[in-house]
Amino acid sequence: MKRTAFFISDGTGITAETLGQSLLAQFETITFTKLTRPYIDSAEKARAMVLQINQAAKTDGVRPIIFDTIVNGDIREILAQSEGFMIDIFSSFLAPLEQELSSHSSYSVGKSHSIGHNSNYMERIEAVNFALDNDDGARTHYYDKADLILVGVSRCGKTPTCLYMAMQYGIRAANYPLTEDDMESLQLPAVLKKYKDKLFGLTIDPDRLTAIRNERKPNSRYASFAQCEFEVREVENLFRRDNINFINSTHFSVEEISAKILVEKGVERRLK
């Protein structure tokens, strides 16, 4: 079965998309065409949106699912005239919260993602810059400022995980690739030894690593299964010998990897 899902907002659309995606993920037997439509902040844009929704209903033969965080009542009324099934995320949660807190919501657009009301915004930007500056072992003299350091073989997911943790949580994460030279010495690189308490390892199935590396350097020794299998085996042995916690990234999303790392390392997420 195929359904179309719209994430509609008069702001960035991040809230509607995040919650909507989480809910739709529970329906594994249905294929969703997911469309995010941010900044629907005028009657004209809302009417154009209704046309898109109705076209999707006609194409699919069934009404689309609409997750919205529209604050303006007039705009919501226009969208309600469409042939979609609307889920008003804000009203679902704000009404009971207002009752519990004995206070009225401001019903303002873009509160959760605005710079002015996000006290850790600059901290997250600085964390992203830190992750970029300390990517792939490029620099090591700022490791004293790192919240954690990811280690593992090349192409096992260290960089995207560091960037996600920086952007989402303000975590200063560096990453260091373990090379064949490190494996032959059977010990951690000297630069990492004094930061052992900050280390966390990523590993990956050799066949998956082979496929990833072949996209970058096809038919090379670097991408061969034998080389990938050797590196993964030796790095996992290194992790066990030095008591470095690690997880296999093969079947996890970057969000899941990040959450597991932060829990195991006890690193506090900088969300305010």
Side-chain angles (χ1 to χ4, degrees):
M1 183 184 296
K2 176 180 173 259
R3 298 288 290 261
T4 298
F6 288 91
F7 309 113
I8 303 175
S9 175
D10 41 18
T12 63
I14 294 173
T15 301
E17 186 176 47
T18 300
L19 185 54
Q21 294 263 32
S22 297
L23 293 172
L24 294 181
Q26 305 303 314
F27 300 90
E28 298 178 358
T29 60
I30 301 174
T31 300
F32 291 98
T33 299
K34 301 170 185 176
L35 303 171
T36 302
R37 298 293 184 262
Y39 299 112
I40 305 302
D41 52 9
S42 70
E44 182 182 6
K45 291 179 182 178
R47 284 189 285 269
M49 197 67 249
V50 168
L51 294 178
Q52 289 188 43
I53 295 167
N54 291 348
Q55 180 59 50
K58 181 179 179 181
T59 301
D60 296 346
V62 64
R63 60 179 176 171
I65 309 298
I66 302 169
F67 296 95
D68 82 87
T69 53
I70 298 291
V71 172
N72 185 291
D74 294 336
I75 293 176
R76 288 205 81 253
E77 283 186 17
I78 295 172
L79 290 175
Q81 296 170 16
S82 74
E83 297 175 27
F85 173 71
M86 291 184 67
I87 300 173
D88 181 355
I89 292 173
F90 277 171
S91 68
S92 300
F93 297 105
L94 282 178
L97 266 177
E98 287 176 333
Q99 184 175 357
E100 175 64 25
L101 298 173
S102 300
S103 178
H104 290 291
S105 163
S106 63
Y107 285 87
S108 299
V109 177
K111 282 283 189 181
S112 62
H113 300 289
S114 66
I115 294 176
H117 292 85
N118 193 338
S119 59
N120 69 343
Y121 178 79
M122 289 310 299
E123 191 167 12
R124 288 190 290 127
I125 295 301
E126 289 171 5
V128 170
N129 288 330
F130 182 89
L132 292 170
D133 287 342
N134 294 275
D135 181 46
D136 215 26
R139 299 183 184 180
T140 59
H141 51 282
Y142 293 117
Y143 280 4
D144 59 319
K145 295 179 174 63
D147 294 311
L148 57 87
I149 304 166
L150 297 189
V151 290
V153 300
S154 171
R155 312 304 288 180
C156 69
K158 299 184 300 300
T159 296
T161 302
C162 285
L163 287 171
Y164 178 82
M165 288 191 291
M167 191 158 44
Q168 192 73 8
Y169 304 123
I171 301 299
R172 293 182 177 235
N175 77 78
Y176 189 98
L178 295 171
T179 66
E180 195 168 358
D181 291 339
D182 298 321
M183 297 164 207
E184 289 176 353
S185 68
L186 300 177
Q187 60 181 345
L188 279 174
V191 70
L192 296 180
K193 288 183 178 179
K194 64 178 177 178
Y195 301 112
K196 189 175 175 183
D197 61 322
K198 297 184 178 185
L199 300 183
F200 195 95
L202 286 188
T203 186
I204 188 172
D205 290 351
D207 53 349
R208 176 60 181 152
L209 183 60
T210 300
I212 293 171
R213 288 185 174 183
N214 263 305
E215 292 178 2
R216 188 179 187 188
K217 294 184 179 179
N219 304 316
S220 63
R221 177 176 175 272
Y222 166 80
S224 69
F225 179 79
Q227 179 66 21
C228 291
E229 185 179 40
F230 164 75
E231 290 186 23
V232 169
R233 181 179 66 248
E234 292 304 308
V235 164
E236 288 184 359
N237 288 338
L238 180 64
F239 291 157
R240 294 187 184 99
R241 187 169 58 249
D242 284 271
N243 295 315
I244 297 170
N245 288 350
F246 69 95
I247 59 173
N248 188 313
S249 66
T250 306
H251 302 295
F252 295 119
S253 67
V254 68
E255 295 91 343
E256 292 171 308
I257 295 168
S258 300
K260 289 173 182 290
I261 291 171
L262 296 182
V263 168
E264 291 203 30
K265 293 298 289 181
V267 177
E268 198 65 35
R269 306 178 187 199
R270 296 194 177 99
L271 291 177
K272 298 178 183 179

